[in-house]
Amino acid sequence: MTTLAQRKRQLVATELTEAALQLLALRGFDAVTVDEIATTAGVSKRTFFRYFASKEDVVVQFLAGMGADMRAGLVARPAGERPSEALLHTVSVPLAACEDHADRALPVVRLILRTPALHARLLEHQARWREELTEELGTRLGRDPATDLTPRLAAGMALTAFEAVLQRWSEGEGAEDPGALIAEAFALLAPALDATTAE
């Protein structure tokens, strides 16, 4: 059961995250200070640093949430499902969340993709996501990633499609549907994913 203190802490963290992401997306990563983020969220600078080590860490937490959603999405898929279908649903989870909150998510996605330091952090996270999805795929397929390239290749293809869709969505002023774009990508990938993962 969540305590009052835990709920309060989560509320402050959410307020800080929202304030930071919107300010950073609006004005650019380098133009915003921690003081401005704290003021916008209605807290002190000291409070900010109790939750985040830097303004970059706010964005990193956003990325960490995407990865957690993907892994949980893959774990929840039916055991006998084709790999292409399971992975399509896996990467669709954070894309659907972005689409549902496009007014907030699109500026943040643009910020990440257009700021070299943040894009580097995205790539770091994607490497971690690939390892997590590889491990889960290995379990699902009964293949050891240490001796079989299939789970790692499949996870890599899915994440490449995910980033390609984010890039296209951010460049297109959000007019395109991320769900339709990822379905289009997987229509191309599905034969390879399902062929390489067949027994």
Side-chain angles (χ1 to χ4, degrees):
M1 186 173 183
T2 308
T3 67
L4 181 60
Q6 288 171 325
R7 285 200 301 272
K8 183 179 178 184
R9 184 170 174 78
Q10 184 55 53
L11 184 62
V12 173
T14 301
E15 288 288 325
L16 276 169
T17 301
E18 286 291 321
L21 292 177
Q22 295 314 306
L23 274 176
L24 294 169
L26 181 67
R27 293 176 41 205
F29 185 74
D30 294 326
V32 177
T33 67
V34 169
D35 281 321
E36 289 172 313
I37 294 169
T39 299
T40 301
V43 300
S44 68
K45 185 176 178 180
R46 186 174 172 183
T47 298
F48 176 91
F49 285 118
R50 280 207 296 267
Y51 290 85
F52 302 104
S54 67
K55 59 185 180 178
E56 186 178 277
D57 277 0
V58 180
V59 182
V60 169
Q61 185 173 344
F62 174 81
L63 295 173
M66 281 187 164
D69 288 347
M70 281 194 270
R71 179 158 195 171
L74 182 56
V75 169
R77 300 309 302 170
E81 192 170 47
R82 287 181 296 122
S84 63
E85 199 65 28
L87 285 167
L88 170 59
H89 286 285
T90 296
V91 296
S92 292
V93 172
L95 289 173
C98 284
E99 186 182 5
D100 290 344
H101 305 284
D103 56 327
R104 289 181 299 170
L106 183 57
V108 175
V109 169
R110 283 199 193 112
L111 173 75
I112 292 168
L113 294 177
R114 297 174 186 179
T115 306
L118 297 178
H119 192 223
R121 295 304 293 269
L122 171 62
L123 296 177
E124 285 176 23
H125 275 269
Q126 281 186 322
R128 194 169 305 127
W129 301 343
R130 187 169 54 249
E131 291 305 311
E132 291 173 353
L133 294 183
T134 295
E135 182 184 324
E136 182 60 32
L137 281 168
T139 300
R140 289 173 67 85
L141 300 170
R143 297 188 177 204
D144 182 359
T147 57
D148 190 328
L149 285 173
T150 300
R152 191 173 307 281
L153 285 171
M157 284 192 281
L159 290 172
T160 297
F162 172 77
E163 186 178 9
V165 167
L166 281 183
Q167 191 76 50
R168 172 90 167 265
W169 186 54
S170 72
E171 290 169 353
E173 300 304 314
E176 295 189 83
D177 173 2
L181 290 173
I182 199 66
E184 181 184 334
F186 269 78
L188 297 172
L189 294 178
L193 282 168
D194 294 336
T196 57
T197 51
E199 292 294 341

